């Protein structure tokens, strides 16, 4: 397996097993979970050992390969993996590729390698959008941890930082699962990228005070018209960005685009366990018996997106025609 450029390795192949960095334990502990079957990988995806749309796609590909290599039933492997999480289309994109692969292990490797290359290309395109001294707000974690390496939204930040631009990051905590506080903050600290952590409800205040210059987020699924599903709270940020006249960028590889889904209303939104909202890591703060909603994603309408940054290029004011044309064009890597 190709080593991820950033040094953070969310997935690695070791012997005859897939090892997944347990993201539930970060930043406190580095521990890899060993998976030897599609069933184990499906559980790891469902339980958030590995998360982030492209990383989920890579893990599913290796999970499928694990079963194929030991002669197990690939139809069952695909069904198990396909039930693990519903929103990130990269999962289904990867499984569709695996279904027709002549050499499953080589195909999983190719999916991983291509994802890394796509992220680096996204970083190169996107860095051109980042002014010197930009204060960049991001939400959730769309970094190396969420991909084969480098990252999408955080990949752009990483590339701009590496190019010598004096940028800084405002990382939203990202309730309820704290991907921003635990993962994005950790990646930035590891690499010496200046970062300030805020809770999600501080975003509007910081924008109003002129402390944010632009917003960049990742995506779990981009519908044919450009409507974009991403971590819950993203839509709120896009509305706030429009109100304050700030650019709102979405970064994603072509594997996150879903031309079969016409618009955002048709994107399935995962509803997760109430425990994530009523408390954290065993501590409960909400009263017993309380009704809870926990949608893990929301949809940002295309009209609120300043530009989509893909490995194939940048689409300003995204819409159906431009997206279709870009995906039909040169690969960009
Ligand atoms: O629930 P998660 O942590 O899998 O959600 C992740 C996100 O919403 C990311 O922003 C998205 O998958 C893009 S990752 C490059």
């Amino acid at each position: 397996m190709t080593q991820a450029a950033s040094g953070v390795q969310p997935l690695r192949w070791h012997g005859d097993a897939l090892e997944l960095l347990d993201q539930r334990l970060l930043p406190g502990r580095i521990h890899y979970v060993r998976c030897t079957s599609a069933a184990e990988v499906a559980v790891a995806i469902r339980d958030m050992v590995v998360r982030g749309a492209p990383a989920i796609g890579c893990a599913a590909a290796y999970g499928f390969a694990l079963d194929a290599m030991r002669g197990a039933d690939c139809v069952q492997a695909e069904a198990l993996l396909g039930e693990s999480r519903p929103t990130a289309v990269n999962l289904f994109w990867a499984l569709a590729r695996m279904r027709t692969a002549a050499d499953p292990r080589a195909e999983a490797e190719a999916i991983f390698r291509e994802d890394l290359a796509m992220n680096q290309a996204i970083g190169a395109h996107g860095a051109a959008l980042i002014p010197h001294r930009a204060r960049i707000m991001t939400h959730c974690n769309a970094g190396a941890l969420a991909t084969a390496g480098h990252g999408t939204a955080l990949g752009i930040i990483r590339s701009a930082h590496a190019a010598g631009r004096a940028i800084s990051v405002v990382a939203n905590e990202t309730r309820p699962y704290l991907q921003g506080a635990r993962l994005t903050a950790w990646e930035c600290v590891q690499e010496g990228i200046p970062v300030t952590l805020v809770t999600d409800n501080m975003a509007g205040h910081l924008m109003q005070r002129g402390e944010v210059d632009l917003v960049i987020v990742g995506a779990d699924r981009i519908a044919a018209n450009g409507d974009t599903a991403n971590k819950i709270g993203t839509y709120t940020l896009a509305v706030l960005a429009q109100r304050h006249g700030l650019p709102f960028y979405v970064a994603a590889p072509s594997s996150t685009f879903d031309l079969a889904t016409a618009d955002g209303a048709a994107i399935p939104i995962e509803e997760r366990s109430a425990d994530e909202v009523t408390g954290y890591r065993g501590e409960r703060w909400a009263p017993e018996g309380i009704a809870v909603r926990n949608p893990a994603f929301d949809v940002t309408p295309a009209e609120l997106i300043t530009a989509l940054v893909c490995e194939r290029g940048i689409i300003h004011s995204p819409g159906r025609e431009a997206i279709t044309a870009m995906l039909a064009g040169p690969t960009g890597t």
Side-chain angles (χ1 to χ4, degrees):
M1 187 181 278
T2 316
Q3 168 73 42
S6 57
V8 178
Q9 228 186 335
L11 307 89
R12 66 186 187 200
W13 189 265
H14 193 248
D16 53 3
L18 176 68
E19 294 185 339
L20 298 169
L21 177 58
D22 192 341
Q23 299 192 28
R24 299 169 302 183
L25 305 179
L26 291 174
R29 233 182 110 200
I30 305 281
H31 170 74
Y32 281 84
V33 172
R34 187 177 148 83
C35 300
T36 55
S37 68
E40 287 175 0
V41 175
V43 169
I45 295 172
R46 187 198 67 200
D47 292 351
M48 306 286 276
V49 172
V50 60
R51 33 65 51 201
I56 290 171
C58 292
Y62 279 110
F64 187 105
L66 282 167
D67 271 20
M69 284 159 58
R70 61 188 174 90
D73 179 358
C74 286
V75 174
Q76 202 200 345
E78 185 178 343
L80 279 172
L81 290 160
E83 283 162 10
S84 58
R85 291 192 77 189
T87 304
V89 77
N90 307 61
L91 171 70
F92 307 99
W93 168 87
L95 289 175
R97 268 182 71 164
M98 295 304 293
R99 198 184 303 141
T100 54
D103 179 345
R105 167 83 193 274
E107 189 69 8
E109 289 281 355
I111 287 173
F112 181 90
R113 263 197 326 274
E114 288 167 25
D115 188 61
L116 188 52
M118 289 193 286
N119 292 329
Q120 281 159 343
I122 288 169
H125 290 307
L129 297 170
I130 311 296
H132 198 54
R133 301 200 185 291
R135 294 155 304 172
I136 306 165
M137 180 170 277
T138 191
H139 192 65
C140 193
N141 172 264
L145 289 166
T147 61
H150 196 71
T152 58
L154 200 50
I156 293 176
I157 291 167
R158 207 169 236 130
S159 295
H161 178 72
R165 243 156 277 166
I167 54 165
S168 58
V169 174
V170 178
N172 290 343
E173 168 187 59
T174 318
R175 277 279 291 147
Y177 212 73
L178 307 183
Q179 290 94 330
R182 296 188 300 107
L183 309 177
T184 296
W186 183 67
E187 284 196 42
C188 289
V189 167
Q190 294 276 309
E191 289 202 27
I193 300 172
V195 59
T196 301
L197 176 64
V198 297
T199 62
D200 303 337
N201 50 2
M202 296 172 187
H205 173 70
L206 294 191
M207 289 182 187
Q208 193 180 46
R209 293 285 163 110
E211 294 183 34
V212 177
D213 299 306
L214 58 102
V215 181
I216 314 181
V217 296
D220 284 82
R221 190 185 297 232
I222 302 174
N225 71 341
D227 291 353
T228 295
N230 190 50
K231 181 52 55 191
I232 191 75
T234 301
Y235 169 51
T236 316
L237 284 182
V239 173
L240 281 170
Q242 187 187 54
R243 157 89 185 165
H244 295 286
L246 301 176
F248 185 89
Y249 299 120
V250 172
S254 50
S255 50
T256 304
F257 288 77
D258 179 11
L259 294 185
T261 296
D263 58 32
I267 298 177
I269 300 293
E270 177 182 14
E271 185 91 21
R272 293 185 60 85
S273 154
D275 310 349
E276 293 178 358
V277 176
T278 54
Y280 189 68
R281 287 187 175 160
E283 188 190 343
R284 188 182 174 100
W285 48 67
E288 295 292 343
I290 189 76
V292 171
R293 285 292 313 278
N294 187 12
F297 301 95
D298 60 25
V299 174
T300 299
E303 70 200 64
L304 295 179
I305 298 171
T306 310
L308 289 174
V309 185
C310 181
E311 81 282 0
R312 294 168 184 243
I314 298 176
I315 303 180
H316 294 274
S317 305
R320 199 176 307 271
E321 287 82 45
I323 289 172
T324 312
M326 182 188 73
L327 293 178
T331 61
T333 54

